[in-house]
Amino acid sequence: MSGSLIVDNIGELVTNGTGEGPLGIRRNAAVLVEEGRVVWVGPSPYAPAADHHVDAGGAAVLPGFVDSHAHLVFAGDRAAEFAARMAGQPYTGGGIRTTVGATRAATDDELRATVRRLRGEALRQGTTTMEIKSGYGLTVADEARSLRIAAETSTETTFLGAHVVPAEYADRPDDYVGLVCGPMLAAAAPYAKWIDVFCEQGAFDVDHARAILACGQAVGLGVRLHANQLGPGPGVQLGVELGAASVDHCTYLSDADIDALASSRIDCMCHEGRHTTTVATLLPGAEFSTRSPYPDARRLLDAGVTVALATDCNPGSSYTSSMPFCVALAVREMRMTPAEAVWAATAGGARALRRDDIGVLTPGARADLVVLDAPSHLHLAYRPGVPLIRQVIRNGVPQ
Ligand code: NIG
Ligand code: FE
């Protein structure tokens, strides 16, 4: 779409910038977009003329959701594993190898179709930025092709060759770590922005995780980590030690983990004035789908840790692409306020990806907007399971 766009008659505009409360709310507002960017935010009665016009009709408008943690490149599903869990089986991560088998057997076009289907599903639910991980290939060729396919859809791509040790390396995990740090990283790095490790008992221990993440950093990849999902462990503190952008899951945290995250706080030019270098990304879809205890979001927030919310969309532990569902879970099950949850799903996700051009609706930001079928952001938690996304504008283009 060429030319300018005005979105006016916005009853409640969440800017995550200057305005009322932590969401920087403005009432009866308008947003002017030019060349994919927000160029003006102000009172609706003063809205300038533009080439194109969207009338929000008094509804709420939010920045598009930033889903900073998703595993979209896979084949098959694990519905039977889910049913077994709901009948009492615990989640151990063992099913990852099932998906690895199916993914290796799939064609490029099959994988591509799944990525596009899930990305489309998420977009219709208001997600305008979505991180995509590899991690179900676990050979040099399959990790490289997973990332090549992910990169067709997102610039936020993450190499997760260290998801689990594949069956053929079960007796020699050191050799697998060597493969990940050597030829696999070399093949994956051209398509990846980030590196991630599943640091957990049964996956990779802290020494292997440190070695792999250091190799990724050495070739310019940013660090993120799956940590403290299934039990307490050293992952969160390793993430802080390495300056990770985000440690994800954070279901089992000690006081020392919280202190470490809080100590990564820095002053910034951002709206909040301070944030933690390492964000705690919470993935309540995983606790929902594995029937596990939810992370203690309040403890993190009260300690001043920056919190993001993401879907963890994957066929095993969290097969949802819905950020509104995660917002509702965070409010109901994790005692986040609706404002904290909406911030975490937008600006928080942007922080977890070290982006300052998304997750906000202020002049200069990317024009990623969601028009709700509701008068307020509160409705995302108040009306769970209801399709409240009326319109999505991505990069200034109505979808
Ligand atoms: O983030 N924890 C590791 N990886 C995924 C689950 C993957 C799977 O079960 O297939 C997660 O929950
Ligand atoms: Fe994950």
Side-chain angles (χ1 to χ4, degrees):
M1 192 181 75
S2 61
S4 56
L5 166 73
I6 188 82
V7 183
D8 66 1
N9 205 7
I10 301 171
E12 178 191 273
L13 175 67
V14 171
T15 68
N16 289 335
T18 316
E20 202 184 292
L23 294 179
I25 285 175
R26 297 191 180 211
R27 308 218 177 254
N28 194 17
V31 176
L32 179 66
V33 173
E34 279 172 13
E35 288 172 3
R37 298 267 159 186
V38 173
V39 293
W40 177 89
V41 175
S44 194
Y46 299 107
D51 302 317
H52 305 275
H53 176 217
V54 170
D55 181 351
V61 170
L62 274 57
F65 295 117
V66 179
D67 185 352
S68 60
H69 185 138
H71 309 245
L72 303 190
V73 194
F74 64 84
D77 77 30
R78 288 169 27 216
E81 182 191 312
F82 173 76
R85 274 203 301 279
M86 295 305 107
Q89 292 290 314
Y91 174 79
T92 60
I96 294 172
R97 283 183 180 169
T98 308
T99 301
V100 168
T103 304
R104 287 177 180 175
T107 65
D108 289 8
D109 280 345
E110 284 164 347
L111 296 178
R112 189 171 283 125
T114 298
V115 171
R116 290 196 179 152
R117 173 175 63 81
L118 294 169
R119 184 64 192 91
E121 207 178 84
L123 183 66
R124 290 191 293 281
Q125 295 172 93
T127 299
T128 47
T129 302
M130 199 166 190
E131 182 257 17
I132 305 178
K133 299 177 197 298
S134 67
Y136 290 116
L138 310 188
T139 65
V140 172
D142 286 307
E143 284 297 299
R145 79 164 172 152
S146 295
L147 284 160
R148 186 165 34 78
I149 289 167
E152 293 169 3
T153 297
S154 179
T155 56
E156 300 294 344
T157 51
T158 301
F159 170 47
L160 181 58
H163 198 182
V164 287
V165 176
E168 64 276 18
Y169 280 90
D171 300 333
R172 39 192 187 112
D174 289 349
D175 290 355
Y176 186 66
V177 172
L179 180 75
V180 171
C181 287
M184 198 184 279
L185 175 62
Y191 308 107
K193 179 167 172 187
W194 304 97
I195 185 163
D196 193 342
V197 173
F198 185 18
C199 182
E200 195 84 38
Q201 232 174 2
F204 293 87
D205 67 23
V206 68
D207 295 328
H208 281 157
R210 185 185 280 107
I212 293 164
L213 294 170
C215 292
Q217 274 180 317
V219 298
L221 302 184
V223 169
R224 40 205 329 107
L225 208 56
H226 281 70
N228 302 53
Q229 175 186 7
L230 305 178
V236 164
Q237 292 186 50
L238 174 66
V240 174
E241 173 195 320
L242 296 177
S246 179
V247 286
D248 297 28
H249 284 287
C250 294
T251 310
Y252 293 90
L253 296 184
S254 66
D255 289 344
D257 295 328
I258 304 251
D259 290 348
L261 284 165
S263 74
S264 79
R265 205 158 36 209
I266 50 160
D267 294 328
C268 66
M269 302 288 284
C270 57
H271 179 60
E272 312 87 76
R274 301 190 86 187
H275 65 82
T276 54
T277 303
T278 301
V279 171
T281 298
L282 308 182
L283 310 166
E287 279 73 39
F288 176 87
S289 172
T290 58
R291 201 168 260 157
S292 304
Y294 287 89
D296 193 343
R298 276 265 56 85
R299 202 161 144 232
L300 287 161
L301 289 162
D302 293 346
V305 176
T306 303
V307 168
L309 285 172
T311 61
D312 196 15
C313 183
N314 76 79
S317 65
S318 181
Y319 202 5
T320 180
S321 55
S322 171
M323 289 295 280
F325 175 59
C326 294
V327 166
L329 285 180
V331 172
R332 174 62 182 83
E333 304 291 342
M334 286 155 50
R335 294 186 300 133
M336 291 174 76
T337 66
E340 285 168 340
V342 166
W343 192 92
T346 51
R351 276 269 187 280
L353 295 172
R354 300 247 161 106
R355 298 272 300 266
D356 56 15
D357 60 329
I358 54 175
V360 294
L361 290 176
T362 49
R366 224 172 76 162
D368 292 345
L369 289 76
V370 167
V371 184
L372 295 187
D373 227 334
S376 156
H377 69 281
L378 296 172
H379 284 229
L380 288 168
Y382 174 47
R383 305 201 64 217
V386 177
L388 291 182
I389 308 302
R390 181 192 298 168
Q391 182 160 21
V392 180
I393 296 167
R394 184 161 181 264
N395 239 335
V397 181
Q399 302 294 300

